[in-house]
Coordinates of all heavy atoms in Angstrom, one line a residue:
M8 N 0.8 -1.2 0.0 CA 0.0 0.0 0.0 C 0.8 1.2 0.0 O 0.6 2.2 -0.7 CB -0.8 -0.1 1.2 CG -1.9 1.1 1.3 SD -3.0 0.9 0.0 CE -4.4 1.9 0.5
R9 N 1.9 1.2 0.8 CA 2.8 2.4 0.8 C 3.5 2.7 -0.5 O 3.6 3.9 -0.9 CB 3.9 2.2 2.0 CG 4.7 3.4 2.2 CD 5.7 3.0 3.3 NE 6.0 4.3 3.9 CZ 6.6 4.5 5.0 NH1 6.7 3.4 5.8 NH2 6.9 5.7 5.5
H10 N 3.9 1.6 -1.2 CA 4.5 1.8 -2.5 C 3.6 2.4 -3.5 O 3.9 3.2 -4.3 CB 4.9 0.4 -3.0 CG 5.5 0.5 -4.3 ND1 6.7 1.0 -4.6 CD2 5.1 0.0 -5.6 CE1 7.0 0.9 -5.9 NE2 6.0 0.3 -6.5
R11 N 2.2 2.1 -3.4 CA 1.3 2.6 -4.3 C 1.0 4.1 -4.1 O 0.9 4.9 -5.0 CB -0.1 1.8 -4.1 CG -1.2 2.5 -4.9 CD -2.5 1.7 -4.8 NE -2.3 0.7 -5.9 CZ -3.2 -0.4 -6.0 NH1 -4.2 -0.6 -5.1 NH2 -3.0 -1.2 -7.0
N12 N 1.0 4.5 -2.8 CA 0.8 5.9 -2.4 C 2.1 6.7 -2.9 O 1.8 7.8 -3.4 CB 0.6 6.1 -1.0 CG -0.7 5.7 -0.5 OD1 -1.7 5.6 -1.3 ND2 -0.9 5.4 0.8
T13 N 3.3 6.2 -2.8 CA 4.5 6.9 -3.3 C 4.4 7.0 -4.8 O 4.7 8.1 -5.4 CB 5.7 6.1 -2.9 OG1 5.7 6.0 -1.4 CG2 6.9 6.8 -3.3
G14 N 4.0 6.0 -5.5 CA 3.8 6.0 -6.9 C 2.8 7.1 -7.4 O 3.0 7.9 -8.3
R15 N 1.7 7.2 -6.6 CA 0.7 8.2 -7.0 C 1.2 9.6 -6.7 O 0.9 10.5 -7.5 CB -0.6 7.8 -6.2 CG -1.3 6.6 -6.7 CD -2.6 6.3 -6.0 NE -3.0 5.0 -6.3 CZ -4.2 4.7 -6.9 NH1 -4.9 5.7 -7.2 NH2 -4.5 3.6 -7.2
R16 N 1.8 9.8 -5.6 CA 2.4 11.1 -5.4 C 3.4 11.5 -6.4 O 3.5 12.7 -6.8 CB 3.0 11.1 -4.0 CG 2.0 11.5 -2.9 CD 2.6 11.7 -1.6 NE 2.1 10.7 -0.7 CZ 2.9 9.9 0.0 NH1 4.2 10.0 0.0 NH2 2.3 9.0 0.7
T17 N 4.3 10.6 -6.8 CA 5.2 10.8 -7.8 C 4.6 11.2 -9.2 O 5.0 12.1 -9.9 CB 6.2 9.6 -8.0 OG1 6.8 9.3 -6.7 CG2 7.3 9.9 -9.0
A18 N 3.6 10.3 -9.5 CA 2.9 10.6 -10.7 C 2.2 12.1 -10.7 O 2.3 12.8 -11.7 CB 1.7 9.6 -10.9
L19 N 1.6 12.4 -9.6 CA 0.9 13.7 -9.4 C 2.0 14.8 -9.6 O 1.8 15.9 -10.3 CB 0.3 13.9 -8.1 CG -0.4 15.2 -7.8 CD1 -1.5 15.4 -8.9 CD2 -1.0 15.2 -6.5
T20 N 3.2 14.6 -9.0 CA 4.3 15.6 -9.1 C 4.8 15.8 -10.6 O 4.9 16.8 -11.1 CB 5.6 15.2 -8.3 OG1 5.0 15.1 -6.9 CG2 6.6 16.2 -8.4
I21 N 4.9 14.6 -11.3 CA 5.3 14.6 -12.7 C 4.2 15.4 -13.5 O 4.6 16.2 -14.3 CB 5.5 13.3 -13.2 CG1 6.8 12.6 -12.6 CG2 5.7 13.2 -14.7 CD1 7.0 11.2 -12.9
C22 N 3.0 15.1 -13.3 CA 1.9 15.7 -14.0 C 1.9 17.3 -13.8 O 1.7 18.1 -14.7 CB 0.5 15.2 -13.7 SG 0.2 13.5 -14.4
T23 N 2.1 17.6 -12.6 CA 2.1 19.1 -12.2 C 3.2 19.8 -13.0 O 3.1 20.8 -13.5 CB 2.2 19.2 -10.7 OG1 1.1 18.6 -10.1 CG2 2.3 20.7 -10.3
I24 N 4.4 19.2 -13.0 CA 5.5 19.8 -13.6 C 5.4 19.8 -15.1 O 5.6 21.0 -15.7 CB 6.9 18.9 -13.3 CG1 7.2 19.1 -11.8 CG2 8.1 19.4 -14.2 CD1 8.3 18.2 -11.3
V25 N 4.9 18.8 -15.8 CA 4.8 18.9 -17.2 C 3.7 19.8 -17.6 O 3.7 20.4 -18.6 CB 4.6 17.5 -17.9 CG1 5.9 16.7 -17.6 CG2 3.4 16.8 -17.5
D26 N 2.6 19.9 -16.8 CA 1.5 20.7 -17.1 C 1.9 22.2 -17.0 O 1.5 23.0 -17.8 CB 0.3 20.5 -16.2 CG -0.5 19.1 -16.5 OD1 -0.1 18.5 -17.5 OD2 -1.3 18.7 -15.6
T27 N 2.7 22.5 -16.0 CA 3.2 23.8 -15.8 C 4.1 24.2 -17.0 O 4.0 25.3 -17.6 CB 4.0 24.0 -14.5 OG1 3.1 23.7 -13.5 CG2 4.5 25.4 -14.3
A28 N 5.0 23.3 -17.4 CA 5.9 23.6 -18.5 C 5.1 23.8 -19.8 O 5.4 24.8 -20.5 CB 6.9 22.4 -18.7
A29 N 4.2 22.9 -20.1 CA 3.4 23.1 -21.3 C 2.5 24.4 -21.2 O 2.4 25.1 -22.2 CB 2.4 21.9 -21.5
G30 N 2.0 24.7 -20.0 CA 1.3 26.0 -19.9 C 2.1 27.2 -20.2 O 1.6 28.1 -20.8
L31 N 3.4 27.2 -19.7 CA 4.2 28.3 -20.0 C 4.6 28.4 -21.5 O 4.7 29.5 -22.0 CB 5.6 28.2 -19.2 CG 5.4 28.6 -17.7 CD1 6.6 28.1 -16.9 CD2 5.2 30.1 -17.6
L32 N 4.8 27.3 -22.2 CA 5.0 27.3 -23.5 C 3.8 27.8 -24.4 O 3.9 28.7 -25.3 CB 5.4 25.9 -24.1 CG 6.7 25.4 -23.6 CD1 6.9 23.9 -23.8 CD2 7.8 26.2 -24.4
V33 N 2.6 27.4 -24.0 CA 1.4 27.9 -24.6 C 1.2 29.4 -24.3 O 0.8 30.1 -25.2 CB 0.2 27.1 -24.2 CG1 -1.1 27.7 -24.7 CG2 0.3 25.7 -24.8
L34 N 1.5 29.8 -23.1 CA 1.4 31.2 -22.7 C 2.2 32.0 -23.6 O 1.9 33.1 -24.1 CB 1.7 31.4 -21.2 CG 1.6 32.8 -20.8 CD1 0.2 33.5 -21.0 CD2 2.0 32.9 -19.3
W35 N 3.5 31.6 -23.8 CA 4.4 32.3 -24.7 C 3.9 32.4 -26.1 O 4.0 33.5 -26.7 CB 5.8 31.7 -24.7 CG 6.7 32.3 -25.7 CD1 7.2 31.8 -26.8 CD2 7.0 33.7 -25.9 NE1 7.9 32.6 -27.6 CE2 7.7 33.9 -27.1 CE3 6.7 34.9 -25.2 CZ2 8.2 35.1 -27.5 CZ3 7.1 36.1 -25.6 CH2 7.9 36.3 -26.9
I36 N 3.4 31.3 -26.6 CA 2.8 31.4 -28.0 C 1.7 32.4 -28.0 O 1.7 33.3 -29.0 CB 2.2 30.0 -28.4 CG1 3.3 29.0 -28.6 CG2 1.4 30.0 -29.7 CD1 2.9 27.5 -28.7
L37 N 0.8 32.5 -27.0 CA -0.3 33.5 -27.1 C 0.3 34.8 -26.9 O -0.2 35.7 -27.6 CB -1.3 33.2 -25.9 CG -2.1 32.0 -26.0 CD1 -2.9 31.7 -24.7 CD2 -3.1 32.1 -27.2
L38 N 1.2 35.1 -26.0 CA 1.8 36.4 -25.9 C 2.5 36.9 -27.3 O 2.4 38.0 -27.7 CB 2.9 36.4 -24.8 CG 2.3 36.4 -23.4 CD1 3.4 36.2 -22.3 CD2 1.5 37.5 -23.0
F39 N 3.2 35.9 -27.9 CA 3.8 36.2 -29.2 C 2.7 36.6 -30.3 O 2.9 37.6 -31.0 CB 4.7 35.0 -29.6 CG 5.4 35.2 -30.9 CD1 6.6 35.9 -30.9 CD2 4.9 34.9 -32.1 CE1 7.3 36.2 -32.0 CE2 5.6 35.1 -33.3 CZ 6.7 35.8 -33.2
L40 N 1.8 35.7 -30.3 CA 0.7 36.0 -31.4 C -0.1 37.2 -31.1 O -0.6 37.9 -32.1 CB -0.3 34.8 -31.4 CG 0.3 33.4 -31.9 CD1 -0.7 32.3 -31.9 CD2 0.9 33.6 -33.4
L41 N -0.2 37.6 -29.9 CA -1.0 38.8 -29.5 C -0.1 40.1 -29.5 O -0.6 41.1 -29.0 CB -1.7 38.6 -28.2 CG -2.8 37.5 -28.2 CD1 -3.3 37.3 -26.7 CD2 -3.9 37.9 -29.1
D42 N 1.2 39.9 -29.9 CA 2.1 41.0 -30.0 C 2.3 41.7 -28.7 O 2.2 42.9 -28.6 CB 1.7 41.9 -31.0 CG 2.8 42.8 -31.6 OD1 4.0 42.3 -31.4 OD2 2.6 43.9 -32.0
A43 N 2.6 40.9 -27.6 CA 2.7 41.5 -26.3 C 4.0 42.3 -26.2 O 4.9 42.2 -27.0 CB 2.9 40.4 -25.2
N44 N 4.1 43.3 -25.3 CA 5.2 44.2 -25.1 C 6.4 43.4 -24.7 O 6.5 43.0 -23.6 CB 4.8 45.3 -24.1 CG 5.9 46.3 -23.9 OD1 6.9 46.3 -24.5 ND2 5.7 47.1 -22.9
Q45 N 7.4 43.3 -25.6 CA 8.6 42.6 -25.3 C 9.5 43.2 -24.2 O 10.4 42.5 -23.7 CB 9.4 42.4 -26.6 CG 8.7 41.8 -27.8 CD 8.5 40.3 -27.5 OE1 9.5 39.6 -27.2 NE2 7.4 39.8 -27.9
A46 N 9.2 44.5 -23.9 CA 10.0 45.1 -22.8 C 9.4 44.9 -21.5 O 10.1 45.2 -20.4 CB 10.1 46.6 -23.1
N47 N 8.2 44.3 -21.3 CA 7.6 44.0 -20.1 C 8.3 42.9 -19.3 O 8.7 41.9 -20.0 CB 6.1 43.6 -20.4 CG 5.3 43.3 -19.1 OD1 5.5 42.2 -18.5 ND2 4.7 44.3 -18.6
V48 N 8.5 43.0 -18.1 CA 9.2 42.0 -17.3 C 8.6 40.7 -17.3 O 9.2 39.7 -17.4 CB 9.4 42.5 -15.8 CG1 10.1 41.5 -14.9 CG2 10.1 43.9 -15.7
F49 N 7.3 40.6 -17.2 CA 6.6 39.3 -17.2 C 6.7 38.7 -18.6 O 7.0 37.4 -18.6 CB 5.1 39.6 -16.9 CG 4.3 38.2 -16.9 CD1 4.3 37.3 -16.0 CD2 3.3 38.1 -18.0 CE1 3.7 36.1 -16.1 CE2 2.6 36.9 -18.1 CZ 2.8 35.9 -17.1
V50 N 6.6 39.4 -19.7 CA 6.7 38.8 -21.0 C 8.2 38.3 -21.1 O 8.4 37.2 -21.7 CB 6.4 39.9 -22.0 CG1 6.6 39.3 -23.5 CG2 4.9 40.3 -21.9
K51 N 9.1 39.1 -20.7 CA 10.5 38.6 -20.8 C 10.7 37.3 -20.0 O 11.4 36.4 -20.4 CB 11.5 39.7 -20.2 CG 11.7 40.8 -21.2 CD 12.7 41.8 -20.5 CE 12.9 43.0 -21.4 NZ 14.0 43.9 -20.8
F52 N 10.1 37.2 -18.8 CA 10.3 36.0 -18.0 C 9.6 34.8 -18.7 O 10.2 33.7 -18.8 CB 9.6 36.2 -16.6 CG 9.4 34.9 -15.9 CD1 10.5 34.3 -15.2 CD2 8.2 34.3 -15.8 CE1 10.4 33.1 -14.5 CE2 8.0 33.1 -15.1 CZ 9.1 32.5 -14.5
V53 N 8.4 35.0 -19.3 CA 7.8 33.9 -20.0 C 8.6 33.5 -21.2 O 8.8 32.3 -21.4 CB 6.3 34.3 -20.4 CG1 5.7 33.2 -21.2 CG2 5.5 34.5 -19.0
Q54 N 9.1 34.5 -21.9 CA 9.8 34.1 -23.1 C 11.1 33.4 -22.8 O 11.5 32.4 -23.4 CB 10.2 35.4 -23.9 CG 11.0 35.1 -25.1 CD 11.5 36.4 -25.9 OE1 11.4 37.5 -25.4 NE2 11.9 36.2 -27.1
G55 N 11.8 33.9 -21.7 CA 13.0 33.2 -21.3 C 12.8 31.8 -20.8 O 13.6 30.8 -21.2
T56 N 11.7 31.6 -20.1 CA 11.4 30.2 -19.6 C 11.0 29.3 -20.9 O 11.4 28.2 -20.9 CB 10.3 30.3 -18.6 OG1 10.6 31.2 -17.5 CG2 9.9 28.9 -18.0
A57 N 10.2 29.9 -21.7 CA 9.8 29.1 -22.9 C 11.0 28.8 -23.7 O 11.2 27.6 -24.3 CB 8.8 29.8 -23.7
D58 N 12.0 29.7 -23.9 CA 13.2 29.4 -24.7 C 14.0 28.3 -24.0 O 14.5 27.4 -24.7 CB 14.0 30.7 -24.8 CG 13.5 31.7 -25.8 OD1 12.6 31.3 -26.6 OD2 13.9 32.8 -25.8
W59 N 14.0 28.3 -22.7 CA 14.8 27.3 -22.0 C 14.2 26.0 -22.1 O 14.8 24.9 -22.3 CB 14.9 27.7 -20.5 CG 15.7 26.8 -19.7 CD1 17.0 26.6 -19.6 CD2 15.2 25.7 -18.8 NE1 17.4 25.6 -18.8 CE2 16.3 25.1 -18.2 CE3 13.9 25.4 -18.4 CZ2 16.1 24.1 -17.3 CZ3 13.8 24.4 -17.5 CH2 14.9 23.7 -16.9
L60 N 12.8 25.9 -22.0 CA 12.1 24.7 -22.1 C 12.1 24.1 -23.6 O 12.0 22.9 -23.8 CB 10.6 24.9 -21.7 CG 10.4 25.0 -20.2 CD1 8.9 25.5 -20.0 CD2 10.7 23.8 -19.4
A61 N 12.2 25.0 -24.5 CA 12.1 24.6 -26.0 C 13.4 24.6 -26.6 O 13.5 24.7 -27.9 CB 11.0 25.4 -26.7
W62 N 14.5 24.7 -25.9 CA 15.9 24.8 -26.5 C 16.1 23.7 -27.6 O 16.7 24.0 -28.6 CB 16.9 24.7 -25.4 CG 17.0 23.4 -24.8 CD1 16.4 23.1 -23.6 CD2 17.8 22.2 -25.3 NE1 16.7 21.7 -23.3 CE2 17.6 21.2 -24.3 CE3 18.7 22.1 -26.3 CZ2 18.1 20.0 -24.4 CZ3 19.2 20.8 -26.4 CH2 19.0 19.8 -25.5
W63 N 15.6 22.6 -27.4 CA 15.9 21.5 -28.3 C 15.1 21.5 -29.6 O 15.4 20.9 -30.6 CB 15.7 20.2 -27.6 CG 14.3 20.0 -27.1 CD1 13.9 20.3 -25.8 CD2 13.1 19.4 -27.8 NE1 12.5 20.0 -25.7 CE2 12.1 19.5 -26.9 CE3 13.0 18.9 -29.1 CZ2 10.8 18.9 -27.3 CZ3 11.7 18.4 -29.4 CH2 10.7 18.4 -28.5
S64 N 14.0 22.3 -29.6 CA 13.2 22.4 -30.8 C 13.2 23.7 -31.5 O 12.5 24.0 -32.5 CB 11.8 22.1 -30.4 OG 11.2 23.2 -29.6
Q65 N 14.2 24.6 -31.1 CA 14.3 25.8 -31.8 C 14.7 25.7 -33.2 O 15.6 24.9 -33.5 CB 15.3 26.8 -31.1 CG 14.8 27.2 -29.7 CD 13.5 27.9 -29.7 OE1 13.4 28.9 -30.4 NE2 12.5 27.5 -29.0
D66 N 14.0 26.3 -34.1 CA 14.3 26.3 -35.6 C 14.1 25.0 -36.2 O 14.8 24.7 -37.2 CB 15.6 27.0 -35.8 CG 15.7 28.4 -35.5 OD1 14.6 29.1 -35.6 OD2 16.8 28.9 -35.0
I67 N 13.4 24.1 -35.6 CA 13.1 22.9 -36.4 C 12.2 23.2 -37.6 O 12.4 22.7 -38.7 CB 12.2 21.9 -35.5 CG1 13.2 21.3 -34.5 CG2 11.6 20.7 -36.3 CD1 12.5 20.3 -33.5
F68 N 11.2 24.2 -37.4 CA 10.4 24.6 -38.5 C 10.9 26.1 -38.8 O 10.9 26.9 -37.9 CB 8.9 24.6 -38.0 CG 8.5 23.3 -37.6 CD1 8.4 23.0 -36.3 CD2 8.1 22.3 -38.5 CE1 8.0 21.6 -35.9 CE2 7.7 21.1 -38.1 CZ 7.6 20.8 -36.8
T69 N 11.1 26.3 -40.1 CA 11.7 27.6 -40.5 C 10.8 28.3 -41.6 O 11.3 28.9 -42.5 CB 13.1 27.5 -41.0 OG1 13.1 26.6 -42.1 CG2 14.0 27.0 -39.9
M70 N 9.5 28.2 -41.5 CA 8.7 28.8 -42.5 C 8.7 30.3 -42.3 O 9.2 30.9 -41.3 CB 7.2 28.3 -42.5 CG 6.6 28.5 -41.1 SD 6.7 27.1 -40.0 CE 6.5 25.7 -40.9
D71 N 8.2 31.0 -43.3 CA 8.2 32.5 -43.4 C 7.3 33.2 -42.4 O 7.6 34.2 -41.9 CB 7.9 33.0 -44.8 CG 9.0 32.6 -45.8 OD1 10.2 32.5 -45.3 OD2 8.8 32.5 -46.9
T72 N 6.2 32.5 -42.1 CA 5.2 33.1 -41.2 C 5.6 33.0 -39.7 O 5.8 31.9 -39.2 CB 3.8 32.4 -41.3 OG1 3.5 32.3 -42.8 CG2 2.7 33.0 -40.6
E73 N 5.9 34.2 -39.1 CA 6.4 34.1 -37.8 C 5.5 33.5 -36.8 O 6.0 32.7 -35.9 CB 6.7 35.6 -37.3 CG 7.8 36.3 -38.0 CD 9.2 35.7 -37.6 OE1 9.3 35.4 -36.4 OE2 10.1 35.7 -38.4
G74 N 4.2 33.7 -36.9 CA 3.2 33.2 -35.9 C 3.2 31.7 -36.0 O 3.2 30.9 -35.0
L75 N 3.2 31.1 -37.2 CA 3.1 29.7 -37.5 C 4.4 29.1 -36.9 O 4.5 28.0 -36.3 CB 2.8 29.3 -38.9 CG 2.7 27.9 -39.3 CD1 1.6 27.3 -38.5 CD2 2.5 27.7 -40.8
R76 N 5.5 29.7 -37.2 CA 6.8 29.2 -36.7 C 6.8 29.2 -35.2 O 7.3 28.2 -34.6 CB 7.9 30.1 -37.2 CG 9.3 29.6 -36.8 CD 10.5 30.5 -37.3 NE 10.2 31.2 -38.5 CZ 10.9 32.2 -38.9 NH1 11.9 32.6 -38.2 NH2 10.6 32.8 -40.0
A77 N 6.3 30.1 -34.5 CA 6.2 30.2 -33.0 C 5.4 29.0 -32.5 O 5.7 28.3 -31.6 CB 5.8 31.5 -32.5
I78 N 4.2 28.8 -33.2 CA 3.3 27.8 -32.8 C 3.9 26.5 -32.9 O 3.8 25.6 -32.0 CB 2.0 27.8 -33.6 CG1 1.1 29.1 -33.3 CG2 1.2 26.6 -33.5 CD1 0.0 29.3 -34.2
L79 N 4.6 26.2 -34.0 CA 5.2 24.9 -34.1 C 6.4 24.7 -33.3 O 6.6 23.6 -32.7 CB 5.6 24.7 -35.6 CG 4.3 24.6 -36.6 CD1 4.8 24.6 -38.0 CD2 3.5 23.4 -36.2
N80 N 7.4 25.7 -33.2 CA 8.6 25.5 -32.5 C 8.4 25.4 -31.0 O 9.2 24.9 -30.2 CB 9.6 26.6 -32.8 CG 10.2 26.3 -34.2 OD1 10.4 25.2 -34.6 ND2 10.5 27.4 -35.0
Y81 N 7.3 26.1 -30.4 CA 7.0 26.0 -29.0 C 5.9 25.1 -28.7 O 5.8 24.5 -27.6 CB 6.7 27.4 -28.5 CG 7.9 28.3 -28.5 CD1 8.2 29.2 -29.5 CD2 8.8 28.3 -27.4 CE1 9.3 30.0 -29.5 CE2 9.9 29.1 -27.4 CZ 10.1 30.0 -28.4 OH 11.2 30.8 -28.5
G82 N 5.0 24.8 -29.7 CA 4.0 23.8 -29.5 C 4.4 22.4 -29.5 O 3.9 21.6 -28.7
L83 N 5.4 22.1 -30.3 CA 6.0 20.7 -30.3 C 6.5 20.3 -28.9 O 6.1 19.2 -28.5 CB 7.1 20.6 -31.4 CG 7.8 19.3 -31.5 CD1 6.8 18.1 -31.8 CD2 9.0 19.3 -32.4
P84 N 7.3 21.1 -28.3 CA 7.8 20.6 -27.0 C 6.7 20.6 -26.0 O 6.7 19.6 -25.1 CB 8.9 21.6 -26.6 CG 8.8 22.7 -27.5 CD 8.0 22.3 -28.7
A85 N 5.7 21.5 -26.1 CA 4.6 21.4 -25.1 C 3.8 20.1 -25.3 O 3.6 19.4 -24.3 CB 3.6 22.5 -25.4
V86 N 3.6 19.7 -26.5 CA 2.9 18.4 -26.7 C 3.7 17.2 -26.3 O 3.2 16.3 -25.7 CB 2.4 18.3 -28.2 CG1 2.0 16.9 -28.5 CG2 1.4 19.3 -28.6
M87 N 5.0 17.3 -26.6 CA 5.9 16.2 -26.2 C 6.0 16.0 -24.7 O 6.0 15.0 -24.2 CB 7.3 16.4 -26.8 CG 7.4 16.3 -28.3 SD 6.8 14.8 -29.0 CE 8.0 13.6 -28.3
Y88 N 6.1 17.2 -24.0 CA 6.2 17.1 -22.5 C 4.9 16.5 -22.0 O 5.0 15.7 -21.0 CB 6.4 18.5 -22.0 CG 7.8 19.1 -22.2 CD1 8.0 20.4 -22.4 CD2 8.9 18.2 -22.3 CE1 9.2 21.0 -22.6 CE2 10.2 18.8 -22.5 CZ 10.3 20.2 -22.7 OH 11.6 20.7 -22.8
L89 N 3.8 16.9 -22.5 CA 2.5 16.4 -22.0 C 2.4 14.9 -22.3 O 2.0 14.1 -21.4 CB 1.3 17.1 -22.7 CG 1.1 18.5 -22.1 CD1 0.0 19.2 -23.0 CD2 0.7 18.5 -20.7
L90 N 2.7 14.5 -23.5 CA 2.6 13.0 -23.8 C 3.6 12.2 -23.0 O 3.1 11.2 -22.4 CB 2.8 12.8 -25.3 CG 1.8 13.3 -26.3 CD1 2.3 13.2 -27.7 CD2 0.5 12.6 -26.1
I91 N 4.8 12.6 -23.0 CA 5.8 11.8 -22.2 C 5.5 11.8 -20.7 O 5.5 10.8 -20.0 CB 7.2 12.3 -22.5 CG1 7.5 12.0 -24.0 CG2 8.2 11.7 -21.6 CD1 8.8 12.6 -24.5
G92 N 5.3 13.0 -20.2 CA 5.0 13.2 -18.7 C 3.8 12.4 -18.2 O 3.8 11.7 -17.2
H93 N 2.7 12.6 -19.0 CA 1.5 11.9 -18.5 C 1.6 10.4 -18.8 O 1.0 9.6 -18.1 CB 0.3 12.5 -19.2 CG -0.1 13.8 -18.6 ND1 -1.0 13.8 -17.5 CD2 0.2 15.1 -18.8 CE1 -1.2 15.1 -17.2 NE2 -0.4 15.9 -18.0
G94 N 2.4 10.0 -19.8 CA 2.6 8.6 -20.0 C 3.3 7.9 -18.9 O 3.0 6.9 -18.4
I95 N 4.4 8.6 -18.4 CA 5.1 8.1 -17.2 C 4.3 8.1 -16.0 O 4.3 7.1 -15.3 CB 6.4 9.0 -17.0 CG1 7.4 8.9 -18.1 CG2 7.0 8.7 -15.7 CD1 8.5 9.8 -18.2
A96 N 3.5 9.2 -15.9 CA 2.6 9.2 -14.6 C 1.5 8.0 -14.7 O 1.3 7.4 -13.7 CB 1.9 10.6 -14.6
A97 N 1.0 7.8 -15.9 CA 0.0 6.7 -16.0 C 0.7 5.3 -15.7 O 0.1 4.5 -15.0 CB -0.6 6.7 -17.4
R98 N 1.9 5.2 -16.1 CA 2.6 4.0 -15.8 C 2.9 3.8 -14.3 O 2.8 2.8 -13.7 CB 3.9 4.0 -16.5 CG 4.8 2.8 -16.3 CD 4.7 1.8 -17.3 NE 5.6 0.8 -17.1 CZ 5.6 -0.4 -17.6 NH1 4.6 -0.7 -18.3 NH2 6.4 -1.3 -17.3
L99 N 3.2 5.0 -13.6 CA 3.5 4.9 -12.2 C 2.2 4.6 -11.4 O 2.2 3.9 -10.4 CB 4.1 6.2 -11.7 CG 5.5 6.5 -12.1 CD1 5.8 7.9 -11.8 CD2 6.4 5.6 -11.3
N100 N 1.0 5.1 -11.9 CA -0.2 4.9 -11.3 C -0.7 3.4 -11.4 O -1.5 3.0 -10.5 CB -1.3 5.8 -11.8 CG -1.4 7.2 -11.2 OD1 -1.0 7.3 -10.0 ND2 -1.8 8.2 -11.9
R101 N -0.2 2.7 -12.4 CA -0.6 1.3 -12.6 C 0.1 0.4 -11.7 O -0.3 -0.7 -11.4 CB -0.3 0.9 -14.0 CG -1.5 1.2 -14.9 CD -1.4 0.6 -16.3 NE -1.4 1.7 -17.2 CZ -0.5 1.8 -18.2 NH1 0.4 1.0 -18.4 NH2 -0.6 2.9 -19.0
T102 N 1.3 0.8 -11.2 CA 2.1 -0.1 -10.3 C 1.6 -0.1 -8.9 O 1.1 0.8 -8.4 CB 3.6 0.2 -10.4 OG1 3.8 1.6 -10.0 CG2 4.1 -0.1 -11.8

């Protein structure tokens, strides 16, 4: 029983982390598409965090449309984090 509770807590922690990461990536996409003030401290924080989270996917897609490029280059890691993180959490919940 104790092992099951530890697995569930770990799964919840993983889900919380990946949901937060994906949320920040989606927030950056929205701020970019809505042309948020790049000089704003909050916007800079979100952009810096999104860049850090999506370092591995930067410039995978290089189309001319800036908005579409941002959606794909930041949306891909958001989806990957959600799929992998929730997959691991589901596996932990089964044990």
Side-chain angles (χ1 to χ4, degrees):
M8 184 68 161
R9 185 177 204 161
H10 178 68
R11 175 174 274 169
N12 287 338
T13 303
R15 288 179 192 245
R16 274 190 244 127
T17 304
L19 180 60
T20 302
I21 290 170
C22 285
T23 302
I24 291 169
V25 299
D26 290 348
T27 302
L31 283 165
L32 288 164
V33 169
L34 180 58
W35 169 242
I36 292 169
L37 290 173
L38 290 171
F39 183 84
L40 293 175
L41 296 173
D42 201 26
N44 179 5
Q45 301 288 318
N47 181 279
V48 175
F49 177 71
V50 175
K51 284 182 182 180
F52 169 76
V53 174
Q54 180 184 14
T56 305
D58 285 342
W59 182 77
L60 290 168
W62 64 269
W63 58 271
S64 69
Q65 293 300 307
D66 296 326
I67 287 179
F68 303 99
T69 58
M70 59 271 314
D71 293 332
T72 308
E73 291 287 326
L75 185 58
R76 186 180 329 164
I78 291 169
L79 294 174
N80 285 325
Y81 290 95
L83 174 65
V86 170
M87 294 301 296
Y88 290 147
L89 287 172
L90 289 175
I91 292 169
H93 283 271
I95 292 170
R98 177 94 175 164
L99 286 170
N100 273 330
R101 276 190 237 132
T102 58

